[in-house]
């Protein structure tokens, strides 16, 4: 019987359909932020944002020159900026101020992340604290604007995203995105935390919310928004959610809560110490009594240009929040914007400062952005005129409050 020659099956070519599926070679795992691609249209929108805010800086410098003031000093050394720079240089507990009413105001009212970054940057690089403060604010403003675009693009597409960034750059009080204040830093952290919630990146959302809570008292708003969104998601999924969701919900309030408790330990009153510190600055939640008294006094006795404009901005903010609710925007955006509006309306303190507290509340601009896009599609010239008017008003008002008015920012 003849021997059968065995042929190795590995040497016999196989049909294409019978070939073993090849495994694609995957690139090394990177953090999700590093793997992101810039959405279409982001660069033009960010260029517009940068152009508007750079024009705002130039108008402020020009106004200072006309009035014979140092050209750029007001950008880094206005009102609260001086407190942040002092904390960066000397730490906490080194500066107090006695108000005209006799209240002892301390630097514990100011949250630590921004002065900490100023100190770190001015230590590492050959910058003065004022220069470091401005650099941080400008970079954070760009990061925040990109976050606004990404959220707008994710929810509504390129047109609304571009309009959102454009309107955010031209808000009447957007000058405070480019001075040594915490609004830019807080907005950048809070906005990207909101995006992480929309993309179900719960751990990142919690970490960013915790950092935002270390930058401003209003960090409470993003902490509550993230935690409530996580709770709603857990209810919707009947508890079948990843551990990262619970981790993000727990992490979100830790920055704000940690600083509040630390101030309590410094004052000897763990739970109430921070709120007593804020009360000395006439900053407390009084359910709108202070706002009502201000409106009454303004109507009876009038006031400088800053105060009527501030009242209009706050009133428009309330109206835009109602429209945002009608838009059926995502819960996390509604909660974040709503808490900021509530803190502005229900809190006491200088009314001239209230518009900047609404700066991070970019979801309020969603109804305006969608209306602007609709106008652009039907009557582009009208949309250009409207936006040009808003931009001109923003630049002039920003220069006025920074270089001319003596009202608190």
């Amino acid at each position: 019987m003849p021997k059968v020659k065995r042929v190795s099956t590995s040497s016999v070519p196989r049909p294409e359909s019978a070939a073993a599926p090849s495994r694609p070679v995957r690139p090394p795992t990177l953090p999700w932020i590093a793997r992101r691609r810039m959405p279409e249209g982001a660069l033009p929108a960010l260029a517009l944002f940068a152009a508007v805010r750079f024009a705002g800086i130039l108008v402020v410098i020009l106004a200072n020159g006309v009035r014979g003031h140092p050209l750029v000093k007001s950008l880094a050394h206005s009102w609260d900026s001086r407190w942040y720079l002092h904390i960066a240089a000397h730490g906490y507990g080194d500066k107090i101020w006695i108000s005209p009413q006799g209240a002892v105001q301390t630097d514990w009212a100011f949250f630590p992340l921004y002065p900490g970054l100023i100190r770190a940057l001015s230590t590492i690089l050959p910058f003065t604290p004022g220069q470091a403060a401005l650099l941080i604010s400008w970079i954070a403003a760009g990061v925040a604007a990109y976050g606004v675009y990404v959220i707008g693009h994710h929810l509504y597409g390129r047109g609304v995203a571009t309009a959102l960034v454009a309107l955010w750059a031209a808000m009447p009080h957007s000058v405070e995105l480019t001075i040594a204040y915490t609004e830019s830093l807080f907005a950048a952290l809070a906005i990207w935390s909101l995006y992480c919630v929309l993309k179900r990146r719960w751990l990142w959302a919690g970490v960013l919310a915790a950092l935002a809570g270390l930058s401003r008292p209003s960090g409470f708003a993003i902490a509550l928004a993230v935690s409530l969104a996580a709770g709603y998601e857990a209810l919707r999924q009947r508890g079948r959610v990843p551990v990262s969701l619970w981790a993000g919900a727990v992490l979100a309030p830790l920055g704000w809560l940690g600083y509040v408790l630390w101030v309590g330990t410094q004052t000897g009153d763990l739970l109430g110490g921070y709120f007593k510190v804020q009360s000395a600055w006439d900053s407390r939640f009084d359910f709108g009594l202070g706002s009502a008294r201000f409106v009454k006094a303004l109507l009876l006795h009038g006031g400088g240009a800053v105060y009527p404009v501030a009242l209009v901005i706050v009133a428009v903010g309330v109206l835009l929040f109602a429209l945002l609710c009608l838009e059926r925007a995502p819960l996390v955006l509604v909660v974040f914007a709503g808490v900021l509006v509530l803190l502005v309306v229900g809190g006491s303190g200088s009314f001239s400062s209230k518009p900047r507290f609404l700066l991070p509340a970019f979801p309020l601009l969603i109804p305006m952005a969608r209306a602007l896009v609709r106008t652009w599609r039907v009557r582009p010239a009208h949309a250009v005129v409207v936006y040009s008017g808003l931009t001109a008003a923003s630049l002039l008002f920003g220069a006025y409050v920074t270089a001319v008015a003596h009202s608190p920012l």
Side-chain angles (χ1 to χ4, degrees), residues 301-368:
H301 308 294
V306 172
Y307 293 98
V309 173
L311 179 59
V312 170
I313 291 172
V314 172
V316 170
V318 174
L319 174 61
L320 289 176
F321 177 70
L323 295 176
L324 178 67
C325 294
L326 295 176
E327 289 276 352
R328 296 183 179 180
L331 174 67
V332 68
L333 300 186
V334 174
V335 172
F336 176 65
V339 172
L340 289 178
V341 170
L342 182 62
L343 292 175
V344 165
V345 175
S348 62
S350 173
F351 214 91
S352 63
S353 299
K354 288 182 179 291
R356 72 177 172 90
F357 300 156
L358 289 176
L359 262 178
F362 82 93
L364 297 176
L365 300 174
I366 289 175
M368 289 182 63

Side-chain angles (χ1 to χ4, degrees), residues 223-306:
L224 183 62
V226 171
S227 297
L228 284 181
Y232 174 76
E233 182 69 11
L235 287 175
R236 195 172 68 88
Q237 299 292 340
R238 298 181 181 179
R240 296 189 295 270
V241 292
V243 175
S244 60
L245 181 143
W246 301 115
V250 171
L251 284 171
L254 292 187
W256 183 87
L257 185 61
Y259 183 70
V260 168
L261 294 178
W262 180 82
V263 173
T265 63
Q266 302 303 303
T267 61
D269 182 356
L270 181 64
L271 299 180
Y274 169 78
F275 301 101
K276 290 178 181 177
V277 168
Q278 286 285 11
S279 183
W281 286 85
D282 193 26
S283 178
R284 58 187 176 275
F285 191 81
D286 61 1
F287 299 94
L289 294 178
S291 297
R293 285 194 294 266
F294 164 79
V295 172
K296 179 181 178 181
L298 185 65
L299 294 176
L300 291 177
H301 308 294
V306 172

